[in-house]
Amino acid sequence: MGKTIVITGAGAGLGRALARRFASEGETVILLGRTLSKVEEAAREIGGSAMAVECDVASADSVRKAFATVAETYPKIDVLINNAAIYEPFTVAEATDAQIDDIIATNLNGPIYCCRAAIPMMEKGGQIINVGSESIAVPFVMLSLYQTTKAGLERFTEALVEELEPAGIRVTTVRAGPMYEPGKTAPGWDQDAAMRFHGGCAAKGIDLRTRPISQTENVTGVFRSVLDLPPDVRVLHVSVGARRP
């Protein structure tokens, strides 16, 4: 019997690639996204029983509403993948209130809200995967808040592992490296900030122009492997990087 899998940030990038793969393998996928039209388009492309639900993970009320909508059709879910995140370079001194609030609310509060909503819908054998970031270990510039939220998410995951062990629900961090989705539009970053980000990284020895980058669909196998672990095995942390083929 297939799994029922909820994926946040499923309108593009890794989230959409995961939904596409799992659906092709007979799983039921529920695509959550802040922009309803994007997840609806992805669900139509996937076809079958794919379900699109509007959800801004930064809003506790939006998360509650989204999971209540999911529960009307799927009162029990097997997997939650917390993938939604904001990735934008800026310095703390120049950051706007909105930039600070949005990145913390989306990248850290969001997965916590989604876990809180999903756990009562899970049974023994359920799984939660929180998507981390290589930026915790790589000295990128102008990503202090992104790095902080992803580090916080990893620590939250570690605590949740112990909290949910008695319920038989496994929790894993998948720390992801750089990925590329063919056809995806460039992020709407401030041009000056983007140039300083690239220049600052280069000064640290990180040349973003020549650095290897993976295709999103090629990373999905790692998540598949985590979901297919035998019931007596748990993996707490997986790091996924890119390499030149």
Side-chain angles (χ1 to χ4, degrees), residues 99-243:
Q99 284 176 313
I100 295 171
D101 292 345
D102 289 351
I103 201 166
I104 293 174
T106 300
N107 296 8
L108 186 55
N109 294 1
I112 296 172
Y113 292 150
C114 288
C115 286
R116 181 178 64 178
I119 290 166
M121 300 171 66
M122 290 183 160
E123 297 177 340
K124 184 178 180 179
Q127 290 180 274
I128 296 171
I129 299 178
N130 292 326
V131 179
S133 168
E134 65 165 0
S135 68
I136 295 173
V138 179
F140 294 108
V141 301
M142 299 176 68
L143 292 181
S144 59
L145 267 73
Y146 181 77
Q147 292 163 321
T148 297
T149 56
K150 287 300 186 178
L153 180 59
E154 289 200 9
R155 185 63 191 92
F156 169 71
T157 303
E158 292 168 3
L160 201 60
V161 167
E162 302 305 323
E163 182 175 318
L164 296 182
E165 180 64 22
I169 298 172
R170 290 180 288 188
V171 191
T172 303
T173 292
V174 175
R175 184 186 286 184
M179 280 175 265
Y180 171 74
E181 180 187 30
K184 185 178 180 180
T185 57
W189 293 347
D190 175 82
Q191 187 174 5
D192 176 66
M195 290 178 64
R196 286 187 288 131
F197 172 60
H198 281 258
C201 287
K204 292 281 188 178
I206 308 168
D207 189 341
L208 300 176
R209 297 169 301 176
T210 60
R211 208 162 176 258
I213 187 166
S214 300
Q215 299 275 338
T216 50
E217 63 267 24
N218 294 338
V219 178
T220 60
V222 175
F223 290 79
R224 178 79 265 176
S225 296
V226 172
L227 296 192
D228 290 342
L229 289 170
D232 61 337
V233 175
R234 70 177 184 177
V235 172
L236 306 181
H237 183 110
V238 180
S239 289
V240 185
R243 65 184 295 271

Side-chain angles (χ1 to χ4, degrees), residues 58-78:
S59 164
D61 287 339
S62 181
V63 170
R64 272 189 285 266
K65 181 179 178 181
F67 278 84
T69 299
V70 171
E72 291 174 1
T73 304
Y74 301 103
K76 293 295 179 183
I77 62 174
D78 300 296

Side-chain angles (χ1 to χ4, degrees), residues 15-30:
R16 181 162 61 184
L18 289 168
R20 188 185 296 120
R21 171 166 185 157
F22 292 144
S24 73
E25 295 171 341
E27 318 290 11
T28 297
V29 293
I30 303 165

Side-chain angles (χ1 to χ4, degrees), residues 49-62:
S49 59
M51 178 181 181
V53 179
E54 182 176 9
C55 182
D56 178 0
V57 300
S59 164
D61 287 339
S62 181

